[in-house]
């Protein structure tokens, strides 16, 4: 309990001793600053919309009749005055403790037809004018603080008086001085104004107004001030010319009042335009506060719901400080805070920092009512902050930064009422000086004996401007690297890699190194050195035996190197006679083919080296196959034909006929005949002669007939050599299909056996 009370005491002590209450209306804020702030009043909503009069009384301490005190409204017939509306306005003002400006006594516009069409003499017109002024001003004597006695008497064109004015035409230029004299007579305490538009700053019309009023002053005419209507087009800002003009009028002893301000916007209106419009209103408030002779600011209406602008300036609107729904616009808030009222300025939002080389750019959102911003920086997060700039814009570029250092920023807004809290903190780090290397292409393939290039790019950042020396490491033997240029302060170099004809082939990873400004950076380049396009040919098997009357195959392999991609065609040479070679496929862009050797049955036996050629891409490569023609499975050029010459119950002869194309160096012909019942040997013979030995063997079941080439004998080429086996008897015909023969012979050094039956 005790503890809690102590804390409460500490808290109470920590509270500020004075609480400052900010004015929450334009009226309160302006009154506090000694300013008259007012608006022109439209009678229709004045009489019919309570929110209109509520707003009017709450926000303004002076009012003016937009139309109700003009000549035609107050003086509809020569002897008739209508004070209803003017009386109501003055009564309202007094009830609400507001001042009144009177607008306007003598103007070329909004004058009644009875006057302009009345054919009055000069003296009569002067008398009418005097009567009007005496009656109207006199009625409100002491109650209307200031009168626009003469309105818009100066021409837009030539800086002269407006000569087409009714008053000028019917009285002459003296009408102006007369009007002021009558008004002064009617209310000696009222401030008397000359009021005009487009005469606020510099220019011929401003000069003409100045000359007019200085003439009146010199004549001793009672004139107290000049009204600047201030009908402006967005965007509008107060210029030095306005201050200069206000000061030269002050030098005549004259006040200036802003009497009819509005800032019309080309429709449709954007948020940006509303912000600009706020600056116009804020400027005029600040102008009034800073000029000792400008203490009244009246806007021509106050809600966009009732403004003369849309009806008089096609396509324009939104010229006032409350919107159509009586909601305060940015212009209202800007005026209020320029008057030192309203809530304290909020801290800026949306602060963002972007680091560049040796600079950090800051942007933030505008704060309504702010006149400027303090940009504060720290090198540790959270401060302490130092104000490094005071700006009126919502961006700032800090160029007093060191690359690689982190900076912390906050921004505050201020106006004449004070400074806001700081915005949220942002930080940024301008990049440290650095560079990076890259190679394009990053992988390169070159053929021995040629060269290739890669573009080396040096990407500089953080203001890195040193010269960079380039080198290449990891080069395979026989490859050289040159950089053009080898050192540069620029951003590129060309690397040429050249491979000798004997350079090591294969893929290598090169390291490209750049050295500069104390930094070393690398990039990798993959280099592939290829041999020249070529191929080799091999055969598997490379030694092959093909039997007569048969085939044998070998697989041919193409080994391609150096990117050789051509089609290769195959052929064979050195084939033994009777042997053919076929290739499948006969040409290929692939890597293999099959060669098949086929030997005819009569192909001479023996061995030969066959050359296989592969041709493609202008290159011919060969492989050798040792080919042996063998008899296995063939006949050696010998044809054996069994025949039956006779077949009857009493006589049978079965023969072997032999044709040979080569020499036979050994021969054995064996015929075995079955013995069926009653069948016996009859005889045997041959057609060769004495070179053949013949014999037979008889068993109960068979008779074997034997013919043999005598040792050392050779049978040359011959046809139809016959070897016959004969039987006889009275038995049955034996089935010859059971009779067999075996012929064994040697030709070409190879032995063959042919068997069969009859
Ligand atoms: C305008 C009113 O706002 C309109 O309602 C009326 O129809 C015409 O006059 N300069 C002046 C003002 O001195 O009296 C004018 O008022 C606007 C221009």
């Amino acid at each position: 309990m005790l503890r809690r009370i102590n804390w409460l005491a500490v808290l109470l002590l920590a509270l500020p001793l004075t609480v400052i209450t900010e004015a929450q209306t334009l009226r309160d804020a302006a009154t506090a600053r000694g300013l008259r702030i007012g608006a022109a009043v439209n009678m229709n909503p004045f009489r019919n919309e309570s929110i209109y009069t509520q707003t009017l009384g709450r926000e303004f301490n002076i009012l003016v009749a937009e139309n109700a005190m003009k000549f035609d409204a107050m003086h509809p017939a020569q002897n008739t005055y209508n004070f209803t509306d003017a009386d109501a306005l003055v009564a309202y003002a007094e009830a609400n403790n507001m001042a009144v400006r009177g607008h306007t006594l003598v103007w070329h516009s909004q004058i009644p037809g009875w006057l302009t069409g009345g054919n009055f003499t000069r003296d009569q017109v002067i008398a009418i004018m005097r009567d009007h002024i005496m009656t109207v001003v006199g009625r409100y004597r002491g109650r209307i603080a200031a009168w626009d006695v003469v309105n818009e008497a100066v021409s837009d064109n030539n800086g002269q008086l407006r000569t087409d004015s009714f008053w000028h035409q019917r009285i002459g230029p003296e009408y102006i001085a007369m009007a002021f004299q009558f008004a002064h007579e009617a209310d000696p305490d009222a401030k008397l104004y000359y009021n005009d538009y487009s005469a606020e700053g510099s220019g011929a019309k401003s000069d003409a107004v100045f000359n007019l009023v200085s003439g009146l002053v010199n004549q001793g005419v009672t004139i107290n001030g000049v009204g600047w209507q201030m009908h402006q087009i967005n965007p509008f800002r107060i210029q030095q010319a306005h201050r200069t003009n206000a000061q030269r009028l002050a030098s005549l002893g004259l006040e200036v009042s802003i009497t009819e301000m509005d800032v019309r916007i080309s429709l449709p209106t954007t948020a940006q335009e509303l912000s600009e419009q706020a600056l116009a209103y804020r400027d005029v408030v600040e102008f009034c506060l800073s000029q000792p002779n400008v203490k009244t600011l009246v806007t021509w209406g106050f809600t966009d719901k009732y403004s003369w602008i849309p009806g008089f300036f096609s396509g324009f609107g939104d010229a006032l400080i409350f919107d159509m729904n009586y909601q305060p616009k940015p212009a209202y808030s800007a005026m209020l805070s320029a008057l030192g009222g309203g809530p304290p300025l909020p801290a800026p939002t949306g602060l963002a920092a972007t680091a560049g080389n040796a600079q950090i750019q800051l942007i933030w959102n505008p704060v309504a009512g702010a006149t400027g911003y303090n940009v504060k920086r720290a090198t540790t997060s959270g401060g302490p902050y130092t104000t490094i700039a005071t700006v009126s814009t919502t961006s700032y570029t800090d160029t007093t930064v060191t690359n690689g250092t982190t900076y912390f920023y906050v921004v505050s807004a201020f106006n004449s009422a004070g400074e806001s809290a700081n915005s949220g903190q942002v930080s940024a780090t301008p990049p440290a000086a650095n560079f990076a290397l890259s190679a394009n292409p990053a992988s390169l393939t070159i053929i021995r004996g040629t060269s290739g290039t890669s573009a080396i790019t040096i990407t500089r950042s953080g203001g890195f401007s040193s010269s960079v020396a380039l080198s290449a490491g990891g080069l395979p033997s026989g490859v050289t690297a040159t950089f053009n240029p080898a050192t540069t302060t620029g951003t590129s170099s060309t690397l040429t890699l050249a491979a000798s004809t004997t350079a090591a082939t294969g893929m290598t990873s090169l390291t490209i190194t750049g050295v500069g400004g104390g930094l070393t950076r690398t990039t990798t380049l993959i280099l592939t050195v290829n041999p020249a396009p070529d191929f080799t040919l091999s055969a598997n098997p490379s030694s092959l035996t093909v039997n007569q009357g048969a085939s044998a195959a070998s697989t041919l392999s193409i080994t391609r190197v150096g990117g050789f991609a051509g089609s290769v065609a195959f052929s064979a040479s050195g084939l033994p006679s009777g042997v053919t070679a076929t290739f499948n496929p006969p040409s290929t862009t692939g890597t293999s083919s099959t060669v098949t050797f086929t030997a005819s049955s009569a192909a001479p036996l023996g061995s030969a080296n066959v050359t296989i050629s592969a041709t493609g891409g202008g290159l011919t490569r060969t492989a050798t196959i040792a080919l042996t023609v063998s008899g296995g499975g063939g006949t050696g050029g010998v044809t054996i034909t069994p025949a039956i010459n006779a077949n009857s119950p009493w006589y049978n002869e079965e023969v072997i006929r032999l044709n040979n194309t080569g020499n036979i160096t050994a021969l054995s012909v064996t015929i075995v005949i079955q013995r069926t019942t009653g069948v016996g040997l009859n005889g045997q013979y041959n057609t060769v002669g004495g070179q053949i030995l013949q014999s037979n063997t008889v068993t109960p079941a068979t008779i074997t007939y034997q013919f043999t080439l005598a040792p050392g004998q050779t049978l040359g080429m011959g046809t139809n050599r016959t070897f016959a086996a004969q039987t006889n008897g009275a038995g049955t015909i034996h089935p010859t299909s059971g009779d067999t023969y075996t012929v064994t012979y040697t030709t070409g050094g190879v032995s063959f056996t042919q068997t069969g039956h009859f």
Side-chain angles (χ1 to χ4, degrees), residues 66-67 70 103-104 107 110 151-152 195 197 229 231 260 300 308 312:
E66 185 175 357
N67 290 300
K70 288 173 181 172
H103 175 84
T104 178
W107 186 25
Q110 291 181 272
N151 198 33
E152 301 180 358
N195 190 48
Y197 62 89
Q229 293 187 6
H231 295 292
E260 304 183 16
W300 207 239
W308 73 306
F312 280 76

Side-chain angles (χ1 to χ4, degrees), residues 638-645 654-659 669 671 720-723 741 743 754-758:
V638 174
T639 310
I640 304 294
T641 310
I644 300 167
N645 285 337
E654 295 168 47
V655 302
I656 291 299
R657 295 211 175 92
L658 185 152
N659 294 343
V669 179
I671 299 171
N720 257 347
R721 290 179 161 120
T722 301
F723 301 86
Y741 63 85
V743 181
Q754 296 191 44
T755 60
H757 61 85
F758 293 91

